[in-house]
């Protein structure tokens, strides 16, 4: 059996199903061995997903697995949260900080078009950046690439953050101006890794100025539409709102959708930080692009691969790192690229192993509980024996 057919058979087990019909092309004996690997990965991921979901069986869980170009999906739970039909490839979830992966691509596009340079000071394009109450200890100017790699020295979020965390897309820049007044530095720019949501919001605002059009408009016209990601949006249209899986926050008192419902009013200054909605079908397209499937109208595959590897080591034991909008994680000797995200009611993971051509997207409409997404990622990327 050829590799695509073997993987497709594996993905049909249990709740797995092929994402799209694919022509089954004859392959070599080595290709068949690759298919056997794909079947094993699919079985491991399915087993881990079912075990983890059973710990907190609230909401919906959608997973897409990609191996050597062949994709399959697994859906658990209920699209409406507690009963009714399971989710599908077009069920809508929030991406949280996976949005940063998209914002970073906007920087890469504009830099490649000579509209800006990575080393440009942020204040050149975002004068409001100077409103941060105190300068860094050395007085150094923060650059665009430092925002993109979380090496700006800025704190994670403004204090207080609450007044600026909600608000419609059209007013996100106004929210950002207010949030900057509560922002400060915890280190000199370029001196250390310090994950910063407010930093990525500033990056989005600076890129909006460079592009000469609203951030959300640019994202739709230059990235989402060319990739065919028609259900990946910052504002839900009625048809997408009807397919949104309600987001649950699990606690000792039960599971509530109150926080997730409140955030439907808009994420305030956090639009470029974690504002996107999407589906597992759309995110499979994004995963293919991130793994090198050609999309010349969007960005060069070779240039994207090079950017993914511009890494700042950020975790103990050299087990994690961060590039230009991309997280690195290690599973044994296997290093994977991607991003994770979490907002009230929703959890997202998108990672891939560029060496073995394995990728996974995981979207969940619940947070907390006993669910461990890391166990599912480990099942996908377990080092070969």
């Amino acid at each position: 059996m050829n590799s695509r057919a073997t993987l497709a058979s594996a993905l049909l087990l249990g709740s797995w199903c092929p994402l799209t019909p694919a022509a089954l092309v004859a392959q070599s004996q080595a290709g068949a061995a690759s298919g056997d690997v794909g079947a094993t990965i699919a079985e491991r991921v399915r087993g881990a997903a079912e075990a983890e979901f059973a710990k907190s069986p609230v909401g919906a869980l959608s997973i897409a697995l990609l191996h050597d170009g062949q994709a399959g999906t697994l859906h658990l739970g209920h699209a409406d949260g507690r009963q009714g039909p399971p989710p599908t490839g077009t069920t809508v979830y929030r991406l949280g900080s996976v949005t940063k992966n998209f914002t970073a691509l906007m920087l890469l596009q504009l830099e490649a078009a000579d509209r800006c340079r990575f080393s440009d000071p942020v204040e050149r394009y975002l004068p409001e950046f100077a409103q941060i109450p105190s300068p860094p200890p050395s007085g150094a100017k923060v650059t665009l690439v430092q925002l993109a790699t979380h090496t700006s020295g800025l704190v994670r979020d403004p204090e207080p953050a609450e007044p600026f965390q909600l608000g419609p897309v059209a007013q996100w820049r106004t929210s950002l101006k207010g949030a900057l007044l509560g922002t400060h530095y915890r280190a000199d720019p370029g001196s250390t890794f310090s994950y910063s949501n407010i930093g990525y919001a500033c990056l989005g605002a600076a890129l909006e100025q460079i592009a000469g059009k609203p951030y959300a408009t640019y994202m739709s016209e230059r990235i989402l539409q060319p990739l065919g990601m028609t259900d990946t949006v910052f504002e839900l249209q009625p048809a997408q709102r009807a397919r949104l899986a309600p987001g649950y926050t699990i606690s000792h008192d039960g599971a509530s959708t109150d926080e997730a419902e409140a955030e439907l009013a808009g994420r305030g200054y956090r639009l470029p930080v974690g504002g996107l909605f999407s589906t597992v079908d759309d995110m499979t397209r994004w995963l293919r692009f991130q793994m090198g499937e050609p999309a010349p109208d969007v960005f060069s595959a070779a240039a994207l691969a090079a950017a993914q590897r511009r890494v700042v080591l950020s975790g103990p034991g050299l087990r994690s790192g961060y590039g230009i909008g991309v997280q690195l994680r290690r599973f044994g000797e296997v290093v994977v690229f991607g991003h994770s995200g979490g907002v009230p009611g929703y959890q997202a993971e998108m990672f891939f192993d560029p060496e073995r051509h394995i990728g996974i997207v995981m979207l969940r409409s619940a947070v907390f509980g006993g669910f461990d997404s890391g166990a599912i990622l480990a099942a996908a990327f377990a080092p070969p024996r």
Side-chain angles (χ1 to χ4, degrees), residues 168-231:
V169 169
Q171 297 177 18
W172 82 273
R173 287 290 299 270
T174 300
S175 296
L176 176 61
K177 289 181 181 180
L180 284 173
L181 297 176
T183 300
H184 64 274
Y185 290 88
R186 62 181 298 271
D188 269 321
S191 66
T192 187
F193 176 86
S194 179
Y195 193 91
S196 178
N197 288 320
I198 187 66
Y200 248 83
C202 291
L203 177 62
L207 295 177
E208 180 177 273
Q209 182 65 29
I210 295 166
K213 63 176 59 179
Y215 166 86
T217 300
Y218 179 98
M219 195 66 61
S220 177
E221 293 178 353
R222 295 296 308 278
I223 296 175
L224 301 175
Q225 291 181 18
L227 289 173
M229 300 178 68
T230 56
D231 274 331

Side-chain angles (χ1 to χ4, degrees), residues 29-377:
Q29 185 174 357
S34 174
D36 294 339
V37 172
T40 301
I41 296 168
E43 291 167 358
R44 283 202 311 255
V45 169
R46 188 188 72 249
E50 290 175 346
E52 292 304 317
F53 188 79
K55 295 177 182 178
S56 300
V58 176
L61 176 66
S62 293
I63 296 174
L65 181 66
L66 190 65
H67 180 252
D68 279 340
Q70 179 71 11
T73 55
L74 173 66
H75 302 286
L76 299 173
H78 306 281
D80 62 0
R82 293 183 180 273
Q83 58 187 1
T88 70
T90 60
T91 297
V92 177
Y93 300 82
R94 299 204 84 145
L95 295 184
S97 285
V98 178
T99 304
K100 293 182 175 75
N101 200 215
F102 292 80
T103 302
L105 179 61
M106 183 176 178
L107 171 61
L108 294 176
Q109 288 180 326
L110 291 170
E111 193 273 341
D114 290 328
R115 304 285 296 277
C116 64
R117 299 192 183 280
F118 292 143
S119 58
D120 286 347
V122 178
E123 289 181 26
R124 179 178 300 176
Y125 309 108
L126 184 65
E128 304 98 302
F129 197 75
Q131 294 177 1
I132 296 176
S134 58
S138 68
K141 298 294 186 181
V142 176
T143 66
L144 296 175
V145 77
Q146 287 171 341
L147 293 180
T149 55
H150 296 293
T151 56
S152 66
L154 292 173
V155 293
R156 185 182 185 97
D157 292 293
E159 298 174 1
E162 289 77 12
F164 314 107
Q165 287 183 337
L166 298 180
V169 169
Q171 297 177 18
W172 82 273
R173 287 290 299 270
T174 300
S175 296
L176 176 61
K177 289 181 181 180
L180 284 173
L181 297 176
T183 300
H184 64 274
Y185 290 88
R186 62 181 298 271
D188 269 321
S191 66
T192 187
F193 176 86
S194 179
Y195 193 91
S196 178
N197 288 320
I198 187 66
Y200 248 83
C202 291
L203 177 62
L207 295 177
E208 180 177 273
Q209 182 65 29
I210 295 166
K213 63 176 59 179
Y215 166 86
T217 300
Y218 179 98
M219 195 66 61
S220 177
E221 293 178 353
R222 295 296 308 278
I223 296 175
L224 301 175
Q225 291 181 18
L227 289 173
M229 300 178 68
T230 56
D231 274 331
T232 304
V233 295
F234 291 99
E235 293 181 285
L236 295 174
Q237 298 303 308
Q240 292 158 334
R241 180 67 178 86
R243 290 185 273 118
L244 176 69
Y248 289 86
T249 299
I250 302 171
S251 69
H252 293 299
D253 298 325
S256 170
T257 61
D258 291 348
E259 285 187 273
E261 288 290 329
E263 293 231 347
L264 292 180
R267 305 206 75 228
Y269 77 88
R270 300 173 295 171
L271 185 75
V273 177
L276 279 173
F277 297 84
S278 192
T279 67
V280 78
D281 281 3
D282 268 16
M283 286 304 294
T284 302
R285 296 181 178 93
W286 181 249
L287 179 61
R288 289 183 184 278
F289 169 70
Q290 290 289 315
M291 293 178 69
E293 184 170 285
D297 291 342
V298 179
F299 201 66
S300 158
L304 181 60
Q308 289 165 345
R309 288 157 177 79
R310 295 181 63 156
V311 177
V312 177
L313 294 175
S314 60
L318 305 182
R319 298 191 61 82
S320 62
Y322 205 95
I324 300 177
V326 61
Q327 294 173 334
L328 273 70
R329 295 180 63 175
R330 181 183 293 276
F331 295 90
E333 296 302 312
V334 176
V335 176
V336 300
F337 299 74
H339 217 293
S340 59
V343 295
Y346 300 93
Q347 182 177 1
E349 308 279 356
M350 188 281 300
F351 285 95
F352 62 94
D353 175 357
E355 301 300 324
R356 294 185 294 160
H357 309 289
I358 301 167
I360 189 170
V361 170
M362 187 187 324
L363 304 178
R364 180 188 180 217
S365 64
V367 291
F368 306 130
F371 184 90
D372 179 12
S373 63
I376 302 172
L377 294 176

